[in-house]
Amino acid sequence: MTPGKSAETARPARRRLSVDRRREELMAAALELFSTRDAEDVSIDDVASAAGASRALVYHYFGGKQELYVAALRSAAEQLESRLRPQEGGRPLDELASGLRRYFDFVEEHATGFAALLRGGPANRAGEVGEIVDGVRQRLFRLIQKQMSVDEPSPVLRMTVRSWIASVETAGLDWLEHRDIERPTLEKLLVDHMVALLRVAAAHDGDVSRLLERLV
């Protein structure tokens, strides 16, 4: 040690981060853990260790595991919703394909956030977590409704679109797990899946039949 320098001054300086940056790091670490394990199995110590932070720091920023869990999922949801903002100008099915590309861009770039979001929010989950996941689904539903130029969907169309959204979510999780199909192929498959569902629905609903004629 250099004469005149104490052990304290010789120790490497600890990295100083802004409040927002530190929160982002903690949420990123939490999403990584929540994407592969149930929330009940993840502890504050796990998150602190993964983020290279102290247990006290996690509590300082979030108050507890539930607050951290909700904040991490909300962060993932906000990132995904930002990708789903409508981009007008093309045919409805082309716009649907464009929306799917942006959706799967998020799935690929933020795999842990996407997996944690859907693992954390099954359809029967109540409370804030369920509201976060349902908010993403509602945003996607409204986007499709706008692309189809439908002001008030019939019950048959509503159920058809919501069923398709569930299929897109399942396809995203399956693709992350296996990655044994090319993304463009998967996206085209899901567009064709929507058309197939609409053809079935058209047999039961005149409004859907007229919509399908306009779309294809």
Side-chain angles (χ1 to χ4, degrees):
M1 183 181 299
T2 303
K5 287 191 176 182
S6 67
E8 182 66 28
T9 57
R11 189 179 300 129
R14 184 171 180 174
R15 192 168 51 125
R16 299 179 65 86
L17 298 174
S18 68
V19 171
D20 288 343
R21 181 59 182 158
R22 176 60 76 184
R23 282 177 57 87
E24 288 173 6
E25 284 198 348
L26 292 172
M27 287 191 291
L31 283 174
E32 182 77 35
L33 294 169
F34 292 139
S35 70
T36 56
R37 293 156 57 183
D38 291 336
E40 293 78 8
D41 297 330
V42 177
S43 69
I44 288 292
D45 288 334
D46 292 333
V47 176
S49 177
S54 69
R55 174 188 178 92
L57 191 65
V58 181
Y59 277 112
H60 171 73
Y61 282 116
F62 296 100
K65 187 174 74 172
Q66 180 64 18
E67 289 84 352
L68 172 59
Y69 184 46
V70 170
L73 293 187
R74 182 169 285 121
S75 173
E78 289 171 354
Q79 292 177 60
L80 177 53
E81 287 184 0
S82 71
R83 303 290 183 101
L84 299 180
R85 290 174 185 149
Q87 297 181 359
E88 302 175 2
R91 296 185 309 161
L93 290 182
D94 291 337
E95 290 183 15
L96 182 66
S98 176
L100 275 174
R101 281 194 297 274
R102 299 195 303 276
Y103 184 93
F104 279 98
D105 282 344
F106 175 86
V107 172
E108 187 165 16
E109 295 167 18
H110 304 280
T112 56
F114 178 80
L117 185 64
L118 293 188
R119 280 173 55 86
N124 62 353
R125 179 70 62 90
E128 288 181 282
V129 174
E131 291 173 3
I132 291 169
V133 178
D134 192 53
V136 174
R137 291 171 178 152
Q138 289 182 21
R139 173 67 71 94
L140 187 53
F141 182 92
R142 289 193 297 270
L143 173 63
I144 296 168
Q145 182 179 335
K146 182 177 180 63
Q147 289 170 337
M148 292 181 174
S149 300
V150 174
D151 294 327
E152 188 64 37
S154 68
V156 171
L157 179 59
R158 183 190 66 241
M159 287 186 286
T160 299
V161 172
R162 291 184 70 178
S163 297
W164 182 79
I165 290 171
S167 297
V168 171
E169 292 177 354
T170 302
L173 289 172
D174 183 86
W175 184 78
L176 284 177
E177 181 181 356
H178 299 287
R179 293 183 186 259
D180 52 2
I181 182 173
E182 296 294 328
R183 254 191 64 187
T185 302
L186 174 59
E187 292 164 10
K188 178 63 167 60
L189 173 66
L190 288 169
V191 172
D192 290 345
H193 186 195
M194 169 66 90
V195 174
L197 287 173
L198 290 173
R199 290 190 191 282
V200 173
H204 302 271
D205 187 296
D207 288 341
V208 178
S209 179
R210 288 184 286 275
L211 170 65
L212 185 61
E213 290 178 3
R214 180 161 52 84
L215 292 180
V216 301

